Amino acid sequence: VVTADGRIVRNAGARVYRGGKVITTDRIDSLRRFRDDVREVAQGYECGIGLDGFDDFREGDVIEAFQMVEVPA
């Protein structure tokens, strides 16, 4: 996976798209650069991503990472 825009953070949410449809929405459980566990990966860098309850990745899948932020009223 190559980060296209923004950054990917461990424990953030993630959606996996296949053919334009959402296959799963899960939590990023592991994030690796080379053989090191990392907390985040910046734009333009390769990384390995493991999701909490999903492991059926296929070529062409798109992973969208997001963070939920509570904003005071």
Side-chain angles (χ1 to χ4, degrees):
V1 175
V2 176
T3 308
D5 187 25
R7 63 190 174 111
I8 297 176
V9 179
R10 188 182 347 197
N11 294 324
R15 289 185 194 96
V16 178
Y17 292 89
R18 184 176 296 152
K21 295 181 181 181
V22 176
I23 300 299
T24 188
T25 300
D26 224 323
R27 183 180 62 84
I28 296 174
D29 188 42
S30 66
L31 192 58
R32 292 180 167 261
R33 283 258 315 129
F34 302 105
R35 294 185 183 259
D36 300 325
D37 279 328
V38 294
R39 197 167 150 65
E40 69 178 52
V41 177
Q43 177 176 337
Y45 291 97
E46 282 189 31
C47 64
I49 297 175
L51 299 183
D52 193 32
F54 183 79
D55 63 356
D56 183 32
F57 291 106
R58 297 185 186 163
E59 188 173 337
D61 286 353
V62 175
I63 303 170
E64 174 186 59
F66 62 90
Q67 286 186 294
M68 301 286 281
V69 178
E70 190 171 322
V71 179

